[in-house]
Amino acid sequence: MKSIIVYSFIVSGLWLTSCQTDQALNEADPSLVVGEDVVYKQLDLDPIRLSSINPMGRIQHESVYNLVLHKAEYITAPGSAQKGTTVIFSDRGNKQLEDDFSPFASLDGSSDISYYLDQTRPSSSISLSQTESALKRVVKTWESVKCSDLGLNRVSNIPIPIGIVAAIFGFPGEPAYVADVNHAGWMPGSFFENLAPGGSRFILGVTFTFLLIDGDRNLVDTNQDGKWDVALREIYYNDNFSWSDDGSAIDVETVALHEMGHGLSQAHFGKGFIKKKGDIQFAPRAVMNAAYSGIQTRISGTDLGGHCSNWANWPNK
Ligand SMILES: [Zn+2]
């Protein structure tokens, strides 16, 4: 798969302009508003044939679909004056950006939402048991939202690193479907340079979305809700930062709660105001804000609204 890592910016102009604007805002006027960017980045990737992925994966039934890497959503560090961005990899000539899981095209054949934590790529600054506890709290927080019944269930551990994106970017990892939402662990800073120049220094975490495609390589919408059907999501955390669960560094539960929100199909939300020291203040403050602004382990009104619009009609309810 390494041979196909040939990529180039399609809309690099947008990216450069926004960076310069950020810098100007940061120095000139701390009260100006910044929105979220969407940038297009062409990775010349072939679709991933389900029949070719690792047998350690957990696909439970025959599927007529294959996968394509569609987008990445990343959250930025405090003090970086960078805001989270959505990177679209596969501009398939359609402006529709929204996507979610479909109960009719689940790769594990279940309408429950499965999740996974890769234990082979722990953070170098926080213990695996602290990470496990934080993720447990995250799952409980999203599951306790009353409008939805996700049937969130954890897939048991396998002893090899997983990750389709990790493999695409040339890192060790078995490209495989393991769960619907895969917390694929902590990666070295260089992993994040694949998303944005300097990304190793300002991206805390990222969620990648793979969509389903049919035999003609078209995206599908099997439940006809106007959103493309998601095959799976992979979440990676940046080991270039220090992490903690006591407020002394980047709070692992806060970022995992945000990434799990993407895992459950939520987009970024809220307008950011860049302050002079490079922090971004959001209005309203929400778990799904595109930059980290301190510990936030409860989901707010806007987070709930976004979640319920995605999940209130899910068949388990
Ligand atoms: Zn995000």
Side-chain angles (χ1 to χ4, degrees):
M1 221 179 256
K2 285 180 192 173
S3 62
I4 47 179
I5 313 170
V6 179
Y7 53 84
S8 60
F9 286 106
I10 288 181
V11 192
S12 56
L14 175 62
W15 173 260
L16 292 171
T17 307
S18 70
C19 283
Q20 286 159 359
T21 307
D22 284 357
Q23 201 58 39
L25 283 176
N26 191 29
E27 287 163 6
D29 185 345
S31 67
L32 286 179
V33 177
V34 291
E36 195 209 352
D37 272 346
V38 175
V39 300
Y40 291 87
K41 189 170 190 167
Q42 186 64 43
L43 290 178
D44 191 15
L45 299 177
D46 285 331
I48 297 152
R49 292 198 319 278
L50 274 184
S51 58
S52 73
I53 70 176
N54 190 288
M56 290 291 278
R58 304 291 172 84
I59 292 174
Q60 300 290 323
H61 74 141
E62 292 290 313
S63 175
V64 298
Y65 302 111
N66 292 311
L67 321 182
V68 65
L69 176 58
H70 176 59
K71 70 177 177 184
E73 292 161 296
Y74 63 74
I75 185 171
T76 52
S80 66
Q82 295 278 349
K83 61 194 171 292
T85 296
T86 299
V87 181
I88 305 291
F89 294 113
S90 53
D91 180 13
R92 301 178 89 80
N94 193 313
K95 299 295 178 202
Q96 182 187 19
L97 299 181
E98 286 198 80
D99 43 76
D100 63 4
F101 289 102
S102 165
F104 304 121
S106 168
L107 291 183
D108 63 7
S110 157
S111 65
D112 287 345
I113 299 299
S114 57
Y115 70 97
Y116 183 75
L117 173 64
D118 190 314
Q119 299 187 335
T120 69
R121 289 198 199 101
S123 159
S124 55
S125 53
I126 189 169
S127 74
L128 187 56
S129 68
Q130 287 170 297
T131 302
E132 288 276 0
S133 304
L135 187 62
K136 235 175 241 175
R137 294 192 295 275
V138 162
V139 168
K140 198 174 169 190
T141 301
W142 280 117
E143 218 170 17
S144 63
V145 179
K146 290 198 170 54
C147 65
S148 62
D149 182 0
L150 310 172
L152 274 175
N153 64 86
R154 181 162 171 178
V155 174
S156 59
N157 191 46
I158 53 179
I160 51 171
I162 60 140
I164 299 171
V165 176
I168 289 172
F169 289 161
F171 291 84
E174 289 299 331
Y177 171 88
V178 178
D180 295 321
V181 181
N182 303 276
H183 295 259
W186 272 258
M187 299 298 280
S190 56
F191 176 90
F192 299 88
E193 295 287 329
N194 290 290
L195 294 170
S200 60
R201 297 190 306 275
F202 63 81
I203 297 173
L204 290 176
V206 60
T207 300
F208 294 89
T209 296
F210 287 83
L211 298 182
L212 294 171
I213 51 172
D214 63 19
D216 296 323
R217 300 190 173 194
N218 291 318
L219 302 173
V220 297
D221 178 14
T222 56
N223 58 336
Q224 299 189 319
D225 64 352
K227 299 177 181 181
W228 301 127
D229 293 351
V230 171
L232 68 116
R233 292 193 169 98
E234 290 181 353
I235 295 163
Y236 297 86
Y237 302 90
N238 189 346
D239 207 27
N240 206 24
F241 287 89
S242 270
W243 298 78
S244 75
D245 62 0
D246 63 2
S248 62
I250 301 294
D251 182 59
V252 64
E253 182 178 348
T254 299
V255 180
L257 186 67
H258 175 97
E259 301 306 339
M260 194 69 176
H262 286 311
L264 299 173
S265 304
Q266 288 230 53
H268 285 147
F269 183 83
K271 282 181 177 167
F273 301 77
I274 297 181
K275 301 192 291 186
K276 277 196 169 140
K277 61 178 181 173
D279 286 335
I280 300 181
Q281 184 180 335
F282 279 91
R285 195 159 183 244
V287 167
M288 296 316 296
N289 291 159
Y292 181 94
S293 55
I295 293 177
Q296 187 162 15
T297 55
R298 297 216 179 128
I299 41 188
S300 71
T302 53
D303 299 314
L304 289 173
H307 179 79
C308 292
S309 74
N310 283 329
W311 292 102
N313 294 321
W314 192 254
N316 294 352
K317 185 67 181 173

